[in-house]
Amino acid sequence: MTAITVDRLHKTYLVPEREGGLRAAVGALVRRRRREVHAVTDVGFTIEPGEVVGFLGPNGAGKTTTLKMLSGLLHPTSGTATVLGHVPWERDRRYLGQMALIMGQRNQLQWDIPVLDSYKLNQAVFRIPDADFKARVEELSELLALEELLRKPVRNLSLGERMKCEIAGSLLHAPQVLFLDEPTIGLDVAMQRRIRSFVAEYNRRTGACVMLTSHYMADVEALCRRVIVIHHGRLLFDGALEELVHRFAGDKTINVELADEHPLDPAALGPLVDGHAVERSATGFSVRVPKAETPRVAARLLAGLPVSDLVIEEPPIESVIEQVFEATSAEVDGG
Amino acid sequence: MADVATRPVSGRPDFSKVSFGALRRYYVGEFGASTANNLAYRGAVAIWVVTTVIQPMVSIVVWRTVAGPAGEVNGFTSAEFVTYFAITMLVDHLTFIWLMWEFEWRIRTGAMSPLLLRPIHPIHKDVCDNLSYKVIGLVGVLPAMVLLVIGFGGDVSGIGVVQVLTFLPALVLAMAVRFLLEWVLALSAFWLTKVSALNNLYFSLFLFLSGSFAPLAVLPEAVRTLAHASPFPWIVSFPVEVALGRRTGAEVWVGYLAQLGWILVALVLLRVVWRRAVRVYSAVGS
Ligand SMILES: Nc1ncnc2c1ncn2[C@@H]1O[C@H](COP(=O)(O)OP(=O)(O)OP(=O)(O)O)[C@@H](O)[C@H]1O
Ligand SMILES: [Mg+2]
C-alpha cells in the first residue's frame, strides 16, 4: 500500500484585490474584487511507506501549500489525495494522530512553560501511554541532545534549540508520515547537520515516510534519494536525485592534471576545448563543456596533452536546480 | 540505546472514540499551562481586573443619583442598585470571554494552524484558557464585590442560602451559553479579515440587552421585548436576579430551561459553522 497518493491536486487562493486610496476602499465595500492565485496546479505523485522525498522548488512554487493540503490544514480547490488511507482535509482524528507537520518558522510549543510541560500536553492530546511517552522523550532527547533544554521555558531558547525541541515534540506520538517544511531554515551549519542526521535516523528506526522541503541542497543530498520538483505550482520532475542532475545539467566539468611541468600554451589549448573558457590550476586546468561534447573533448585532450589524470564531474546540484528553475521560468514567461 | 520508536506501536489510540480519561488529563495540563501563562503576565491580568471593578462603580454612582437617596426606579432602590451591579460584576467576570479578538489574531498570524493539526477540537483549549483566567481573576473580583456592597451600602436582605444555591447552576449555565455563542461568533474571523466592527455591534447589543448596563426592569418596554428575544438576558440578568431573590419558583426553572435551550442552539450552530470554517481556512504563513 502506498503511504501518499496525490492526483490532479489544485489549489487556487482568492485574494482580495486592493488598490490604494479611499475611493478604491469605498468601491471595495460594494464589490469585492478578487484575484486568483494558482498556487498548485495539477500536481500528482505517490510515495511509498518509508521513503524520504525532497520536495523542491523556488520561493512561491507551491510547496508549503501542497504540504498544508496533505496535512489537512487546507481544502484543495480540486483533486484528490489519500495519506495513510485517509483524505487529509477530512481531518479524521485517526489521521491527525499519526501525522506531523513541522514548519521551520512556526511555533507549536507553548511559549511560557517548560518544554517538558508542553510535551506532557501533547501526551494528553495524542493519548500516548505513560511508558511510551517516557521512553520516547528519553530517546529523542538523547538523539537531539535536549537534556539541558527540557526544563527551560520555550521563550528562553535559541532558535536552534527551539527547533530541536519543536521537532522532538512533534514526534512524541510516533507519526507514520512526517511533513517537514524547511526544518533547517536559519540554523547554523552544525545544527543543520544534526537535524539532518536525526531525520535520517528517525526514518531508519520508525520506517516513517518523510516529505521534506528545503532550500539547502545539503539537506536534500543527505536525506533524499528521490526528489519532486515543482515550479509555478506545476510538477516539473519526479525521480531520483541523480536522474535530475543527469536530465537537467547542461554542462559537465572536465578536470585535467598534467604530467610534470608541461608548459601549457593557451593558444594550443583553445581549439582542443572548442574555445570554452579554461580555468588554470597549479597542476592543470578545468573546463566546462556542454554535456554532449564531453566525450569528444575529453578524447581530444587525452590525445593532445600529456595528461596524468582526467576527471569528468557533474555540476553541483545547486547550480543544476538553479538551471532548472531558470529554464522553466523563461519558458513560462515566454509562452 | 533502546530502539524504542522502532518497536511497532502497540496499537494506536482509537481517536474515533471519546476518551474522558484523556480529555481530563488534557484539561489538567492545559489549565496548568494557561495558569502559568496568566501568572507570567499577571500585570496585564491585574489591569484587566481593575477595569472590571471600575465599571460597576460608575454604574452604581450613576443609578444611585437617578434613584435619589430615598426613591426608587421601577422597583429598584439605591441600595438594590448597589447589590445588583456588584453581583453583575461577578457574573460578567465569570462569563466574559475575549475570543473574538483572539480568533482574528490567530487567523491573521497563522497561529490557528497548529491548533488544527491536533486530534482534539480547539474549543477545549479555549475552555481551559478561559477557566484559568476566571479563577485567577476571582482573587481580585470576589473581594471587590464584597467591598462594593459594604462601601456603597448595598441591600443584601434578599440573599440567603436558597438564592445562592439556585444562583450557582444559573451561573454555570450562563457561562456555557456565553462561551458557546461567542465561540461561534468568533468563527466569523474565518471569513472576515477585520472583525472589530462586528464585535463593537455585538458588545453594544450585549451591554443593553443582557442587563449589564442596567437592570432590564428599569429599561424601556421595547428594549425588554427585544432582550427577551435574544439569549443575552439569560447570561447576566437572569443569574443576577436569581441571586437577588427576584426570581423564584417556576421562574427559576423556566430560566434554566431557556439557558439549556440556548446552549443547544449554540452547539448546533457550532457544529455547522465550524465545518464550514475549516473549509475556507486559508492557513496564512509559511
Ligand atoms: N494563504 C494564502 N493566501 C493567498 N495566497 C497565498 C497564500 N499562501 C500562499 N499563497 C500564494 O501561493 C503561492 C505558493 O505559495 P507557497 O507558500 O505554497 O510557496 P512555497 O513553495 O512554499 O514557497 P517558499 O519556498 O517561499 O516557502 C505563492 O504565490 C503565494 O503568494
Ligand atoms: Mg514555503
Side-chain angles (χ1 to χ4, degrees):
Chain A
M1 199 185 84
T2 56
I4 304 179
T5 311
V6 175
D7 189 29
R8 279 167 290 169
L9 204 57
H10 288 253
K11 179 68 193 183
T12 304
Y13 291 107
L14 285 177
V15 279
E17 196 145 65
R18 271 281 171 80
E19 291 152 51
L22 184 63
R23 227 190 127 98
V26 172
L29 281 179
V30 187
R31 48 187 164 76
R32 280 216 286 177
R33 230 183 292 161
R34 312 265 209 128
R35 188 166 50 88
E36 292 191 340
V37 176
H38 299 279
V40 171
T41 308
D42 201 26
V43 164
F45 52 82
T46 59
I47 295 178
E48 300 300 319
E51 264 194 291
V52 183
V53 176
F55 194 35
L56 309 183
N59 290 131
K63 305 181 295 294
T64 301
T65 302
T66 307
L67 294 189
K68 280 175 181 166
M69 287 190 279
L70 293 182
S71 56
L73 273 183
L74 280 181
H75 275 251
T77 309
S78 67
T80 59
T82 45
V83 185
L84 303 176
H86 295 276
V87 175
W89 43 89
E90 283 174 0
R91 304 170 22 74
D92 189 318
R93 293 196 182 143
R94 279 167 295 189
Y95 174 57
L96 298 178
Q98 48 182 320
M99 182 275 303
L101 168 68
I102 301 176
M103 299 176 128
Q105 288 150 317
R106 194 147 288 295
N107 238 35
Q108 312 193 15
L109 298 174
Q110 304 243 357
W111 198 243
D112 287 300
I113 58 174
V115 175
L116 195 58
D117 290 3
S118 268
Y119 288 1
K120 285 187 183 144
L121 220 50
N122 281 359
Q123 181 192 3
V125 169
F126 288 95
R127 306 185 192 177
I128 306 165
D130 283 333
D132 286 0
F133 177 74
K134 206 167 151 283
R136 284 182 202 149
V137 169
E138 235 163 64
E139 184 182 22
L140 290 166
S141 77
E142 193 174 328
L143 284 173
L144 283 165
L146 303 179
E147 202 50 58
E148 305 286 299
L149 310 176
L150 291 181
R151 264 154 246 291
K152 291 190 190 173
V154 174
R155 61 164 187 260
N156 291 354
L157 301 180
S158 78
L159 178 67
E161 291 170 342
R162 203 169 74 216
M163 200 58 221
K164 290 201 297 185
C165 293
E166 287 280 347
I167 292 179
S170 303
L171 299 179
L172 292 170
H173 60 292
Q176 280 304 294
V177 171
L178 198 54
F179 301 109
L180 293 166
D181 196 5
E182 305 191 36
T184 54
I185 191 164
L187 306 185
D188 72 33
V189 179
M191 189 66 85
Q192 285 181 24
R193 199 174 305 132
R194 167 144 234 156
I195 298 222
R196 274 204 287 277
S197 60
F198 170 76
V199 172
E201 184 63 20
Y202 182 81
N203 165 261
R204 191 187 68 71
R205 288 189 184 194
T206 64
C209 128
V210 180
M211 255 186 108
L212 165 103
T213 83
S214 176
H215 292 291
Y216 304 123
M217 284 312 131
D219 287 347
V220 179
E221 279 179 291
L223 288 171
C224 319
R225 229 176 299 141
R226 172 176 168 202
V227 293
I228 294 174
V229 182
I230 67 169
H231 192 23
H232 292 300
R234 287 178 188 280
L235 201 80
L236 266 192
F237 175 84
D238 178 356
L241 187 58
E242 306 94 73
E243 164 70 13
L244 175 76
V245 174
H246 188 70
R247 170 116 54 105
F248 287 96
D251 298 335
K252 288 196 181 194
T253 304
I254 306 177
N255 293 311
V256 179
E257 300 283 316
L258 296 175
D260 303 329
E261 264 98 59
H262 183 82
L264 192 59
D265 178 6
L269 195 54
L272 284 177
V273 296
D274 290 344
H276 292 295
V278 168
E279 205 172 302
R280 298 283 292 266
S281 66
T283 54
F285 62 91
S286 64
V287 60
R288 269 180 74 168
V289 296
K291 203 162 63 179
E293 292 170 29
T294 14
R296 214 157 31 77
V297 174
R300 244 187 285 152
L301 287 171
L302 285 170
L305 294 171
V307 171
S308 72
D309 192 12
L310 184 146
V311 180
I312 300 175
E313 274 182 353
E314 300 277 10
I317 177 100
E318 242 109 12
S319 65
V320 177
I321 295 278
E322 209 174 299
Q323 263 175 341
V324 174
F325 297 158
E326 271 168 15
T328 39
S329 277
E331 212 171 273
V332 171
D333 297 343
Chain B
M1 187 193 312
D3 269 19
V4 178
T6 333
R7 204 179 57 195
V9 184
S10 48
R12 289 188 172 269
D14 182 2
F15 287 101
S16 62
K17 292 202 189 78
V18 177
S19 155
F20 288 103
L23 208 55
R24 187 180 46 82
R25 278 213 279 177
Y26 173 74
Y27 268 72
V28 170
E30 190 73 63
F31 187 83
S34 301
T35 305
N37 204 32
N38 281 326
L39 291 178
Y41 300 99
R42 53 189 167 274
V45 175
I47 289 173
W48 195 238
V49 168
V50 169
T51 348
T52 312
V53 177
I54 287 176
Q55 265 173 345
M57 288 174 72
V58 175
S59 304
I60 287 171
V61 171
V62 169
W63 285 99
R64 279 211 318 183
T65 316
V66 173
E72 55 164 61
V73 184
N74 284 11
F76 270 84
T77 65
S78 294
E80 281 171 331
F81 272 121
V82 174
T83 325
Y84 181 89
F85 285 114
I87 298 177
T88 297
M89 174 182 72
L90 176 71
V91 173
D92 196 44
H93 168 72
L94 287 176
T95 55
F96 175 76
I97 63 174
W98 58 92
L99 283 170
M100 289 145 94
W101 287 276
E102 182 86 5
F103 267 71
E104 180 182 325
W105 172 82
R106 280 178 186 166
I107 286 171
R108 194 161 34 80
T109 61
M112 193 76 212
S113 296
L115 299 180
L116 286 172
L117 289 171
R118 314 190 302 176
I120 189 169
H121 199 294
I123 199 169
H124 296 297
K125 177 186 165 52
D126 292 331
V127 171
C128 295
D129 284 355
N130 234 270
L131 286 179
S132 155
Y133 166 81
K134 282 165 181 172
V135 169
I136 291 177
L138 270 187
V139 175
V141 170
L142 266 185
M145 178 177 76
V146 175
L147 287 178
L148 277 181
V149 171
I150 295 172
F152 287 93
D155 176 1
V156 291
S157 58
I159 305 177
V161 178
V162 177
Q163 281 70 34
V164 173
L165 288 183
T166 41
F167 165 71
L168 290 177
L171 175 67
V172 172
L173 290 171
M175 286 167 74
V177 173
R178 186 163 185 190
F179 180 82
L180 291 171
L181 275 180
E182 291 190 20
W183 209 84
V184 175
L185 209 61
L187 293 179
S188 60
F190 279 86
W191 287 270
L192 309 170
T193 36
K194 273 265 172 244
V195 294
S196 42
L198 187 68
N199 288 357
N200 288 343
L201 178 66
Y202 172 82
F203 279 103
S204 317
L205 279 177
F206 185 88
L207 186 65
F208 286 99
L209 302 184
S210 68
S212 309
F213 173 73
L216 288 177
V218 307
L219 293 179
E221 182 61 37
V223 176
R224 262 204 308 276
T225 314
L226 190 61
H228 282 291
S230 80
F232 303 140
W234 307 112
I235 295 171
V236 178
S237 169
F238 172 67
V240 174
E241 289 182 4
V242 167
L244 290 174
R246 285 174 163 265
R247 303 260 185 138
T248 49
E251 274 185 318
V252 176
W253 291 105
V254 169
Y256 291 164
L257 279 180
Q259 289 181 313
L260 285 171
W262 280 109
I263 288 173
L264 203 67
V265 170
L267 281 174
V268 170
L269 278 175
L270 194 152
R271 234 186 129 74
V272 175
V273 181
W274 173 248
R275 249 198 226 141
R276 281 158 201 259
V278 293
R279 281 195 74 95
V280 300
Y281 183 52
S282 74
V284 294
S286 37

